[in-house]
Amino acid sequence: MTTLTLPIKLSSGVQRAMAEHRAVLAMESTVLTHGLPYPDNFEVLKILEQLCTDSGVEPATIIVLDGIAHIGMDEADIANLKDKMQNREQLHKFGRRELPIAMVKGLSGGTTVSATMLLAYYSGIKVFSTGGIGGVHRGWERTLDISSDLKALAEIPVIVVSAGCKAILDIPATLEYLETSGVPVFGWQTHDFPAFYSRKSGLKIDKVDSAKQLADIYKTMMALDAKSSGIILANPVPIAQEIPQEQISIHIEKAIQAAEDMGVGGKNLTPYLLSFLAESTQGLSVATNLALLKNNVIIGAQIAKELV
Ligand code: PSU
Ligand code: MN
């Protein structure tokens, strides 16, 4: 078999940063294609990339456009994405298993945590900031719906900075799955695993105190085991933007009931629940979403700098 050149393109900024041995932070794109309304999503992209640059770290938003995995977007790529946004149905949601078909068929879409982790690792990027990770869905006993994010976390040695996961999921089962898979889960200066909108889920995890400490843990893990898992760093949403659990849980119960009534499942379930929540909280969830994304980029950038 001849060797295949994969359709993976590094942005000019990422190429430069790598050549100069400067820190790079990966970011996902499902939040752009499926998580946030247009044109707010482009505003968020700009804000997050600027925050990253201000921290002295090169942003690498990962996305698939016309079958090419982009590791960071140049101006022309952002224009191309904006164009595709006008006909949003053509933008898919790609998990890890869908990357080869997207590349072969020349499709476009956002990459989930599992796909972003794979492309980041392949490109030599060790840290990735996102909003929330996928996990074990409620009712998994019946549906076996477990996000491929968890399997990717078990198999790909990338640090994923998130605000935990939403209570649309079965959070205790998600943490059990991660424990079984040997994935370390740390709280950023806290023992509380956050539940995305809320700073606490009621579940306890280990704590890290600094970016240096986490970077040292990552290096130690890699030295011990060449086939290491990823690491989850759970960073609670800032207090000012927190939505208390009692308040958000009403919306979450409604979202889950609506999905059940509509028979939504498989890869459509998470986007359905996310957009239901955005609508039913009337934008409240969008402000929280932006606050925690920014918070995760700031911490992710600190860690990326410790790992160059
Ligand atoms: N949870 C969120 N926001 C998100 C997602 C999950 O709070 O944007 C997205 C991420 O891209 C994640 C994906 O990787 O959904 C998980 O989808 P699934 O449950 O189908 O694996
Ligand atoms: Mn699923």
Side-chain angles (χ1 to χ4, degrees), residues 28-32 34-36 93-95 110-116 128 130-135 137 145-150 164-166 168-169 196-197 266-271 274 289:
E28 62 140 320
S29 48
T30 300
V31 64
L32 302 176
H34 290 75
L36 294 165
K93 168 188 164 193
F94 297 130
T111 51
T112 68
V113 169
S114 70
T116 309
F128 159 35
T130 181
I133 55 166
H137 280 268
D145 189 347
I146 299 171
S147 172
S148 66
D149 290 357
L150 298 189
C165 59
K166 290 194 172 83
I168 52 172
L169 302 172
F196 197 85
Y197 300 111
K267 67 183 286 180
N268 296 325
L269 180 60
T270 298
L274 297 181
N289 218 325

Side-chain angles (χ1 to χ4, degrees), residues 1-307:
M1 214 162 93
T2 51
T3 45
L4 193 66
T5 307
L6 290 171
I8 298 180
K9 176 181 158 256
L10 276 56
S11 69
S12 49
V14 169
Q15 279 182 43
R16 218 175 310 124
M18 285 182 170
E20 294 167 2
H21 303 285
R22 282 189 288 113
V24 179
L25 177 67
M27 294 188 266
E28 62 140 320
S29 48
T30 300
V31 64
L32 302 176
T33 58
H34 290 75
L36 294 165
Y38 176 83
D40 300 7
N41 50 0
F42 280 84
E43 204 45 48
V44 168
L45 170 70
K46 224 167 86 188
I47 292 170
L48 297 181
E49 296 212 331
Q50 189 61 49
L51 250 184
C52 201
T53 312
D54 291 347
S55 315
V57 173
E58 183 66 32
T61 302
I62 295 182
I63 192 164
V64 181
L65 296 171
D66 306 309
I68 301 169
H70 288 65
I71 315 299
M73 284 190 277
D74 289 310
E75 282 306 320
D77 303 318
I78 295 176
N80 183 4
L81 176 63
K82 226 174 236 176
D83 221 45
K84 293 191 189 324
M85 269 297 154
Q86 309 313 318
N87 179 9
R88 213 162 170 168
E89 304 78 70
Q90 66 182 310
L91 289 169
H92 302 264
K93 168 188 164 193
F94 297 130
R96 183 190 189 183
R97 73 168 182 176
E98 278 105 18
L99 288 174
I101 189 171
M103 288 174 169
V104 169
K105 290 194 173 179
L107 306 176
S108 301
T111 51
T112 68
V113 169
S114 70
T116 309
M117 283 183 82
L118 181 65
L119 290 168
Y121 187 65
Y122 185 91
S123 313
I125 303 170
K126 302 185 191 84
V127 191
F128 159 35
S129 286
T130 181
I133 55 166
V136 178
H137 280 268
R138 296 198 204 174
W140 58 271
E141 306 91 326
R142 273 182 292 112
T143 61
L144 214 64
D145 189 347
I146 299 171
S147 172
S148 66
D149 290 357
L150 298 189
K151 200 136 190 307
L153 278 157
E155 293 167 358
I156 305 170
V158 166
I159 296 171
V160 180
V161 185
S162 76
C165 59
K166 290 194 172 83
I168 52 172
L169 302 172
D170 183 334
I171 300 181
T174 301
L175 289 181
E176 282 294 345
Y177 187 104
L178 289 165
E179 183 180 350
T180 302
S181 315
V183 179
V185 181
F186 299 114
W188 175 253
Q189 299 171 342
T190 178
H191 280 289
D192 285 298
F193 185 72
F196 197 85
Y197 300 111
S198 323
R199 291 173 57 85
K200 292 182 181 177
S201 63
L203 293 155
K204 297 291 175 188
I205 49 176
D206 285 326
K207 168 171 92 111
V208 291
D209 301 309
S210 67
K212 162 94 172 47
Q213 191 176 64
L214 187 68
D216 286 345
I217 290 170
Y218 179 82
K219 288 179 204 164
T220 305
M221 180 182 84
M222 295 299 276
L224 270 172
D225 180 3
K227 297 197 299 299
S228 290
S229 69
I231 290 180
I232 294 179
L233 179 66
N235 183 26
V237 64
I239 294 174
Q241 281 89 13
E242 175 176 34
I243 308 178
Q245 217 161 16
E246 317 81 76
Q247 196 180 334
I248 196 69
S249 64
I250 301 161
H251 298 280
I252 287 174
E253 298 308 326
K254 272 198 236 161
I256 291 172
Q257 190 57 52
E260 186 109 10
D261 294 346
M262 300 286 289
V264 181
K267 67 183 286 180
N268 296 325
L269 180 60
T270 298
Y272 180 86
L273 293 172
L274 297 181
S275 70
F276 188 99
L277 280 181
E279 219 165 281
S280 94
T281 63
Q282 293 176 323
L284 180 63
S285 69
V286 176
T288 302
N289 218 325
L290 176 59
L292 62 85
L293 281 167
K294 283 162 67 176
N295 205 28
N296 295 341
V297 166
I298 292 167
I299 303 301
Q302 285 182 30
I303 298 160
K305 281 196 275 192
E306 292 290 342
L307 283 171

